[in-house]
Every structure is written in C-alpha cells, then in structure tokens.
Amino acid sequence: MTKVTLFWEELLTNRTGCSPSMEAKTFELGEFTMQLIFNFTHSPRGVFIMWRDITDSIRFEEQKDAFLAELSHEFRSPLTAINGYIELLMYQHSDNEKTHGMLTLVKREAERLERLVDNFLDYQRVNYSEELLTRSTFELRPLLEDLVVHYKTTSPRHDILLSAENVSLEADSEKLLQLLHNLIGNAIKYSPDGGNVYIDLVKEDELLILSVRDTGIGIPQEAIPYIFDEYYRVDSDAHRPIKGTGLGLRICKRIAEAHGWGIHAESVYGEGTVFSIYLPSSTYVPRVDA
C-alpha cells in the first residue's frame, strides 16, 4: 500500500503539468508482478492507462539468470584447470624457449576465451544492476600491479606502465578486473605494432580517475559516440583486419554504470586512445602508507 499511495500522490501532482509523463511502476501483488503506466494526453485532456501482468516475464528472467550462473560455473571450471596446468608446464619448461613460447600462446588464448565467456554471459543478463555486484573493500594498486605483471608476460611487445595512488576501493573486484582486462586487452589489440600502454590513477577534485591509454591506431572522431553500443565495430581500413565481438566496451559501460561510475573515451585517429573511468569520492578511501 505504501508504494501505491506514493504512486497515487505522484499521479495527482503530475496531472496539472503541461505535458506530464510518468515512468512505469512495478507492484508486487501476492504472487503476481504488475506494471502500471500512466501517460497524459494533450487533447482531449485525459490519460492513457496501461496495466500489464509481467509475472511470467519476471520469472523467465530469474530462471535465465539462474541458468547463466550455472553455465558460467560450468565454463569457468575447465578453463581454470587449463590455466593452472599451463602455468605448471610453463614453469617446468622455462629453460626451453620454443616450448615456453608455445605454452605462453596457449595460455594467452585460454585467457582470451575466458574473457569472451565472461563478456557473453554478462551481456545476456537483461537486468545488469548494482544488485548483481559482490562489493568488498580492497587496495586498488596491488590489483593494478598484478595486471601489469600479467600483460608484461603475455604481451612482451608492449610496455605496460603504471602510475597510481594507493587507495582503498569499495567495488566488485572481479567485475573491475573484467572491465580493466577489456580495456587493456583492447589497448594491446589496437596497437598491433607494439608500443606503450599507460595505466594511470589520479585524483581530480572529488573524483578518482582511472585511465588506460595506448599509442595505437586510435578511433575516428565520428565513431566515438557509438563505441559503447552493442555489436558496434569501427569501420576503417586499420580496424577491419582486427577481430572482435563488439561486446567488450558495452560490458565495460554496464559494469561502470552498475557501480555508479562514469566512463569516457577520447582518441586521435592514428595516434592513440584513452579510456577514463570516473569514480566518485564515495567509492574510495585514500590510504596513507606508514
């Protein structure tokens, strides 16, 4: 009744507006989930009311999310085992340059497959929101340092350079890693001739800005407004030979928005690209080293 009362008060308030419009409201009525939409009309003066029973749709999405969670586990288990055994073999064959090189390639492709699986399964979630995050408090710099070590091993043609303050962050660390893997992976992929990838963490006013910058082929200016769209691929001579799904940046945006962060891209075609994540002060705590 509380939700219905608030909805009714909002309805009465909006009825006097010039062209009021109200977003859909969802109500739990026993075992049913109902959606109520009011749209006011100009002439003749009146209101259009739509009342929908979305119970089956909600149950389907819940079943779908449960299925995806199980599928995610089934995918990750063998991939984790594959990565573990590859690391063991790499250690055992560290003195054999040819064998170690082949194992490094296998490991890189297994990790790429793992990221593709993560992106696909996350994309299938219709209601990707804060409720799906597993938040914890952790130090950000060690996480970034581990990423640098990882990519220095798997992408020796690129120099990964880190400049970061030491802060404690409240976030879903696994989702943050997924976001950063997508951004750093793209920086490497779109720098086919090698070069530097910069990971910077700086504070500006009340914001913490985490950025990934490359010196690669860049993005045409006219394509930047669309790069976070689903399945979007930049259509240029430099980009066409490089394979991709068009989902990675979309997933980055969804992860950032679920946390309440902003994400922005700037690029000069032929010179490089920088992706910046804007974290409000409410999500981090500055740390002072002893």
Side-chain angles (χ1 to χ4, degrees), residues 5-271:
T5 301
L6 291 172
F7 178 75
W8 180 252
E9 290 174 352
E10 187 178 356
L11 172 65
L12 293 178
T13 301
N14 284 344
R15 69 189 172 95
T16 59
C18 178
S19 56
S21 177
M22 296 180 66
E23 296 181 355
K25 302 292 182 179
T26 302
F27 300 98
E28 301 289 338
L29 303 176
E31 297 181 355
F32 297 95
T33 303
M34 309 301 293
Q35 187 180 68
L36 187 61
I37 304 172
F38 278 66
N39 283 311
F40 293 84
T41 61
H42 286 285
S43 179
R45 188 67 176 167
V47 62
F48 176 79
I49 306 172
M50 183 165 67
W51 176 260
R52 300 173 57 208
D53 181 351
I54 59 172
T55 307
D56 290 341
S57 175
I58 294 295
R59 288 176 179 171
F60 172 77
E61 293 303 332
E62 289 174 349
Q63 292 171 351
K64 181 180 177 182
D65 283 348
F67 169 75
L68 289 174
E70 182 65 24
L71 188 63
S72 174
H73 174 73
E74 293 299 322
F75 269 119
R76 287 191 178 97
S77 293
L79 286 171
T80 300
I82 290 170
N83 278 323
Y85 283 117
I86 291 174
E87 288 178 358
L88 177 61
L89 288 170
M90 289 175 67
Y91 175 77
Q92 293 177 341
H93 294 277
S94 57
D95 56 343
N96 187 316
E97 184 177 346
K98 183 177 180 180
T99 301
H100 192 271
M102 290 189 292
L103 290 170
T104 300
L105 177 62
V106 173
K107 181 174 174 57
R108 183 165 64 240
E109 292 303 306
E111 289 170 344
R112 175 171 171 266
L113 178 60
E114 191 169 15
R115 290 194 294 275
L116 287 172
V117 168
D118 285 341
N119 286 343
F120 173 76
L121 294 175
D122 273 351
Y123 185 74
Q124 295 304 309
R125 296 182 183 275
V126 175
N127 299 313
Y128 195 94
S129 60
E130 185 178 2
E131 287 73 21
L132 292 175
L133 301 178
T134 304
R135 289 181 181 269
S136 63
T137 302
F138 56 91
E139 292 188 24
L140 183 54
R141 184 177 172 89
L143 182 145
L144 297 176
E145 290 173 343
D146 288 344
L147 280 171
V148 170
V149 172
H150 169 83
Y151 282 102
K152 281 185 175 180
T153 302
T154 59
S155 302
R157 296 181 62 209
H158 297 82
D159 290 325
I160 315 297
L161 306 173
L162 174 64
S163 174
E165 296 184 23
N166 195 22
V167 299
S168 188
L169 186 66
E170 182 185 352
D172 186 323
S173 59
E174 290 299 320
K175 294 302 179 189
L176 176 59
L177 275 173
Q178 185 181 356
L179 187 159
L180 290 171
H181 273 301
N182 281 340
L183 294 183
I184 299 170
N186 274 0
I188 289 171
K189 181 166 64 173
Y190 291 103
S191 303
D193 296 328
N196 296 335
V197 175
Y198 302 89
I199 304 172
D200 296 316
L201 183 67
V202 297
K203 185 179 179 183
E204 290 187 8
D205 298 325
E206 295 302 313
L207 288 176
L208 193 68
I209 303 176
L210 176 60
S211 62
V212 176
R213 177 167 58 93
D214 65 62
T215 54
I217 61 177
I219 303 170
Q221 195 64 34
E222 64 273 13
I224 289 180
Y226 308 102
I227 58 175
F228 291 108
D229 292 352
E230 57 186 359
Y231 303 117
Y232 181 77
R233 299 273 293 145
V234 177
D235 186 19
S236 74
D237 292 339
H239 286 80
R240 287 189 202 103
I242 301 174
K243 296 180 180 179
T245 61
L247 289 180
L249 290 179
R250 179 64 175 174
I251 293 297
C252 289
K253 185 176 178 64
R254 293 177 74 175
I255 292 174
E257 289 179 343
H259 281 86
W261 304 335
I263 185 168
H264 179 70
E266 295 180 3
S267 184
V268 176
Y269 191 46
E271 296 184 15

